[in-house]
Coordinates of all heavy atoms in Angstrom, one line a residue:
S52 N -13.7 -3.7 -10.6 CA -14.9 -2.9 -10.6 C -15.1 -2.3 -9.3 O -14.9 -2.9 -8.3 CB -16.1 -3.8 -10.9 OG -17.3 -3.1 -10.7
N64 N -6.3 -8.3 -11.9 CA -5.7 -7.0 -12.1 C -4.2 -7.2 -12.2 O -3.6 -8.0 -11.5 CB -5.9 -6.1 -10.8 CG -7.3 -5.5 -10.8 OD1 -8.2 -6.2 -10.5 ND2 -7.3 -4.2 -11.1
Y124 N -36.1 23.4 -10.1 CA -37.5 23.4 -10.6 C -38.3 22.3 -9.8 O -39.5 22.5 -9.6 CB -37.5 23.1 -12.1 CG -37.2 24.3 -12.9 CD1 -36.0 24.3 -13.7 CD2 -38.0 25.4 -12.9 CE1 -35.7 25.4 -14.4 CE2 -37.7 26.5 -13.7 CZ -36.6 26.5 -14.4 OH -36.3 27.7 -15.2
K131 N -44.8 24.9 -4.2 CA -46.2 25.4 -4.6 C -47.2 24.5 -4.1 O -48.3 24.9 -3.6 CB -46.2 25.4 -6.1 CG -45.4 26.6 -6.7 CD -45.5 26.6 -8.2 CE -44.7 27.8 -8.8 NZ -44.8 27.9 -10.3
K136 N -51.3 23.8 0.4 CA -51.7 22.8 1.5 C -52.0 21.4 0.8 O -52.8 20.6 1.4 CB -52.8 23.3 2.4 CG -52.5 24.6 3.1 CD -53.5 24.9 4.2 CE -53.2 26.2 4.9 NZ -51.8 26.1 5.6
A168 N -19.9 3.6 -10.9 CA -20.5 3.7 -9.6 C -19.5 4.0 -8.6 O -18.3 3.7 -8.7 CB -21.3 2.4 -9.3
L208 N -30.3 12.5 -3.1 CA -29.6 11.5 -2.4 C -28.4 12.1 -1.6 O -27.9 13.1 -2.0 CB -29.0 10.4 -3.3 CG -30.1 9.6 -4.0 CD1 -29.4 8.6 -5.0 CD2 -31.0 8.8 -3.1
L216 N -16.4 14.0 -9.7 CA -15.6 15.0 -10.5 C -14.1 14.6 -10.6 O -13.5 14.9 -11.7 CB -15.8 16.4 -9.9 CG -17.1 17.1 -10.2 CD1 -17.2 18.4 -9.5 CD2 -17.3 17.3 -11.7
A266 N -14.4 20.8 -8.0 CA -15.4 20.6 -7.0 C -15.4 21.7 -6.0 O -16.5 22.1 -5.5 CB -15.1 19.2 -6.3
L324 N -22.0 25.9 -6.7 CA -20.6 25.5 -6.3 C -20.5 25.7 -4.8 O -21.1 26.7 -4.3 CB -19.6 26.4 -7.0 CG -19.5 26.3 -8.5 CD1 -18.6 27.4 -9.1 CD2 -18.9 24.9 -8.9
S410 N -35.7 42.7 13.9 CA -34.6 43.6 13.9 C -33.6 43.2 12.8 O -32.6 43.9 12.6 CB -33.9 43.6 15.2 OG -33.4 42.3 15.5
K427 N -40.2 29.2 4.4 CA -41.5 29.3 5.0 C -42.1 27.9 5.2 O -42.7 27.6 6.3 CB -42.4 30.1 4.1 CG -43.8 30.3 4.7 CD -44.6 31.2 3.8 CE -46.0 31.4 4.4 NZ -46.9 32.2 3.6
F428 N -42.0 27.0 4.2 CA -42.6 25.7 4.3 C -44.1 25.7 4.6 O -44.8 26.3 3.9 CB -41.8 24.8 5.3 CG -42.0 23.3 5.1 CD1 -41.7 22.7 4.0 CD2 -42.6 22.6 6.2 CE1 -41.9 21.3 3.8 CE2 -42.8 21.2 6.0 CZ -42.4 20.6 4.8
M509 N -21.3 26.8 23.3 CA -20.2 27.7 23.8 C -20.6 29.1 23.5 O -19.7 30.0 23.7 CB -19.0 27.3 23.0 CG -18.4 25.9 23.3 SD -18.0 25.8 25.1 CE -16.7 27.0 25.2
A525 N -17.0 20.5 10.1 CA -16.9 19.8 8.8 C -15.5 19.4 8.6 O -15.2 18.3 8.1 CB -17.4 20.7 7.7
G567 N -8.3 9.7 15.0 CA -8.8 8.7 14.1 C -7.8 7.6 13.8 O -8.2 6.5 13.7
L581 N -11.5 -3.7 0.8 CA -12.7 -4.4 0.4 C -12.6 -4.8 -1.0 O -13.1 -5.9 -1.4 CB -13.9 -3.5 0.6 CG -14.5 -3.4 2.1 CD1 -15.5 -2.3 2.1 CD2 -15.0 -4.7 2.5
T612 N 13.6 -18.9 -16.5 CA 14.5 -18.0 -17.2 C 14.5 -18.3 -18.7 O 14.2 -19.4 -19.1 CB 15.9 -18.1 -16.6 OG1 16.4 -19.5 -16.8 CG2 15.9 -17.8 -15.2
G615 N 19.5 -15.7 -24.0 CA 19.6 -14.5 -24.8 C 19.1 -14.8 -26.2 O 18.4 -13.9 -26.8
R657 N 6.6 -9.9 -20.9 CA 5.7 -10.8 -21.6 C 5.1 -10.1 -22.8 O 5.0 -10.7 -23.9 CB 4.6 -11.2 -20.6 CG 3.6 -12.3 -21.2 CD 2.5 -12.5 -20.3 NE 1.7 -13.7 -20.7 CZ 1.9 -14.9 -20.3 NH1 3.0 -15.2 -19.5 NH2 1.2 -15.9 -20.8
K665 N 3.8 -12.1 -32.6 CA 2.8 -11.5 -33.5 C 3.4 -11.0 -34.8 O 2.9 -11.2 -35.9 CB 2.1 -10.3 -32.9 CG 0.9 -10.7 -32.0 CD 0.2 -9.5 -31.4 CE -1.0 -9.9 -30.6 NZ -2.2 -10.1 -31.5
R674 N 21.8 -17.0 -33.8 CA 22.8 -15.9 -33.9 C 22.2 -14.6 -33.4 O 21.0 -14.5 -33.1 CB 23.2 -15.7 -35.4 CG 22.0 -15.2 -36.3 CD 22.4 -14.9 -37.7 NE 21.3 -14.4 -38.5 CZ 20.8 -13.2 -38.6 NH1 21.4 -12.2 -37.8 NH2 19.8 -12.9 -39.4
W679 N 20.2 -3.1 -37.5 CA 19.2 -2.6 -38.6 C 18.1 -3.6 -38.7 O 17.0 -3.2 -39.0 CB 19.9 -2.5 -39.9 CG 20.5 -3.8 -40.5 CD1 21.7 -4.3 -40.3 CD2 19.8 -4.7 -41.3 NE1 21.9 -5.5 -41.0 CE2 20.6 -5.8 -41.6 CE3 18.5 -4.8 -41.8 CZ2 20.3 -6.9 -42.4 CZ3 18.1 -5.8 -42.6 CH2 19.0 -6.9 -42.9
E698 N -3.1 -16.6 -26.6 CA -4.1 -17.3 -27.4 C -4.4 -16.6 -28.8 O -4.9 -17.2 -29.7 CB -5.4 -17.3 -26.6 CG -5.5 -18.4 -25.5 CD -4.7 -17.9 -24.3 OE1 -4.4 -16.7 -24.2 OE2 -4.3 -18.7 -23.4
T717 N 15.6 -6.7 -24.3 CA 15.7 -6.9 -22.9 C 16.1 -5.6 -22.2 O 17.0 -4.8 -22.7 CB 16.8 -7.9 -22.7 OG1 16.5 -9.2 -23.3 CG2 17.0 -8.2 -21.2
V747 N 16.0 -10.3 -7.8 CA 16.7 -10.7 -6.6 C 18.0 -11.5 -7.0 O 17.9 -12.5 -7.7 CB 15.9 -11.5 -5.6 CG1 16.6 -11.8 -4.4 CG2 14.6 -10.8 -5.3
C790 N -2.1 2.5 17.7 CA -2.1 4.0 17.4 C -0.7 4.4 17.0 O 0.2 4.1 17.7 CB -2.6 4.7 18.6 SG -2.7 6.5 18.4

Side-chain angles (χ1 to χ4, degrees):
S52 168
N64 282 77
Y124 281 115
K131 288 182 179 179
K136 300 190 182 300
L208 296 175
L216 282 176
L324 296 169
S410 62
K427 183 179 179 182
F428 197 60
M509 295 297 299
L581 277 172
T612 61
R657 184 187 192 91
K665 275 180 175 280
R674 64 176 179 85
W679 64 267
E698 286 75 17
T717 301
V747 183
C790 182

